[in-house]
């Protein structure tokens, strides 16, 4: 099978983490290099161990999987592995860059190993519930690809218009995801005072007085000089 696939497991439940590690290490080409109990720890350990694939739960205390996902996908392919079956959750994680989505109870140990290999190779992999959610989303949207493209283009225009630094963009994305200052500080490994300083500069550049106004402008639902938030 070639070089070993290094996997990081992020799940709040230690029993689940241990069980997944046992299943995966039974495969000769997979090595579990680290495990994390929340999104913050997953980000830290990903930077430390450089895994080939990250298995990520959705609901975890502190920094949850969805909040951590945009940052993790920049470092390694992510396979969502969770009990969450909601179609909107599946859709959101895919839009944020997840390479696949497995629901507990819907896969065998062999299918889990295959999913890890697929995601590392850039092939999407879904368990039945997640696949149904993806299909439903495609059927209810007449132009799904255009929607994703518009979202990417909106983010590009934001960078050009508001001239935020890379760190300010990261903080603004976390604000838009609903994180508190404390959660942002934990995710970015900076102090809350530094977060507040970033936010003050961001609000000045976005010409916004409140979090909700800044989010609306950053996401493209409102623009400076335009009445209302659309």
């Amino acid at each position: 099978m070639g070089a070993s696939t290094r996997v990081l497991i992020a799940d709040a439940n230690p029993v689940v983490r241990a069980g997944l590690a046992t299943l995966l290490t039974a495969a000769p080409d997979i090595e579990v290099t680290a495990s994390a109990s929340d999104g913050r720890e997953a980000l830290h350990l990903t930077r430390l161990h450089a895994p080939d694939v990250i298995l990520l739960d959705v609901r975890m205390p502190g920094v949850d999987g969805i909040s951590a996902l945009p940052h993790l996908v920049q470092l390694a392919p992510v396979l969502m592995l969770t009990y969450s079956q909601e179609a909107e959750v599946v859709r959101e994680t895919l839009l944020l860059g997840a390479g696949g989505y497995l629901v507990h109870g819907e896969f065998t140990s062999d299918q889990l190993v295959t999913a890890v290999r697929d995601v590392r190779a850039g092939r999407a992999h879904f368990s039945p519930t997640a696949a149904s959610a993806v299909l439903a989303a495609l059927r209810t949207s007449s132009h799904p690809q255009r929607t994703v493209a518009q979202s990417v283009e909106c983010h590009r225009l934001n960078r050009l218009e508001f001239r935020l630094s890379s760190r300010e963009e990261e903080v603004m994305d976390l604000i838009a995801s609903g994180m508190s200052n404390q959660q942002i500080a934990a995710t970015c490994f900076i102090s809350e005072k530094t977060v507040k300083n970033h936010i003050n500069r961001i609000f000045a550049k976005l010409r916004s007085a409140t979090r909700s106004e800044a989010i609306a402008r950053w996401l493209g639902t409102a623009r400076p000089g335009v009445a209302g938030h659309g």
Side-chain angles (χ1 to χ4, degrees):
M1 294 297 294
S4 177
T5 297
R6 296 157 50 84
V7 176
L8 181 145
I9 301 170
D11 192 290
N13 190 327
V15 175
V16 171
R17 294 198 303 270
L20 291 172
T22 299
L23 293 176
L24 290 171
T25 53
D29 61 317
I30 295 180
E31 173 189 1
V32 176
T33 59
S35 63
S37 59
D38 65 11
R40 178 181 181 277
E41 187 179 17
L43 186 59
H44 171 68
L45 292 176
T46 295
R47 288 168 173 160
L48 189 64
H49 294 282
D52 299 304
V53 177
I54 299 167
L55 300 187
L56 183 65
D57 191 13
V58 170
R59 295 188 174 93
M60 295 182 287
V63 179
D64 63 27
I66 291 179
S67 299
L69 180 56
H71 308 283
L72 292 171
V73 296
Q74 297 178 41
L75 303 173
V78 176
L79 171 63
M80 305 306 297
L81 205 163
T82 178
Y83 286 99
S84 300
Q85 301 183 26
E86 297 89 341
E88 186 55 38
V89 172
V90 176
R91 180 178 180 276
E92 184 175 4
T93 59
L94 295 180
L95 288 175
L96 289 173
Y101 198 107
L102 298 184
V103 176
H104 283 294
E106 296 189 351
F107 56 86
T108 65
S109 56
D110 288 343
Q111 289 169 338
L112 173 61
V113 169
T114 298
V116 168
R117 292 170 180 160
D118 281 350
V119 169
R120 183 187 183 184
R123 298 187 293 266
H125 198 108
F126 306 99
S127 60
T129 295
S132 297
V134 173
L135 182 58
L138 291 173
R139 287 174 173 170
T140 55
S141 174
S142 57
H143 300 288
Q145 293 178 339
R146 182 187 301 173
T147 300
V148 175
Q150 286 173 340
S151 176
V152 172
E153 177 65 9
C154 176
H155 207 282
R156 186 184 72 82
L157 292 175
N158 283 344
R159 291 199 298 271
L160 294 174
E161 178 176 352
F162 299 123
R163 299 185 182 279
L164 269 59
S165 68
S166 297
R167 175 63 93 178
E168 288 167 352
E169 287 181 23
E170 181 181 14
V171 171
M172 189 60 231
D173 282 336
L174 295 176
I175 292 172
S177 75
M179 278 197 190
S180 66
N181 287 6
Q182 183 180 18
Q183 290 172 321
I184 293 171
T187 299
C188 298
F189 300 99
I190 56 180
S191 69
E192 286 189 59
K193 183 178 184 298
T194 301
V195 172
K196 290 177 182 177
N197 290 338
H198 283 311
I199 290 175
N200 287 337
R201 288 193 292 270
I202 290 168
F203 281 14
K205 291 180 179 181
L206 268 62
R207 298 187 287 284
S208 302
T210 66
R211 245 176 161 83
S212 59
E213 188 178 3
I215 291 171
R217 287 180 176 163
W218 184 244
L219 297 181
T221 54
R223 292 292 179 195
V226 178
H229 285 182

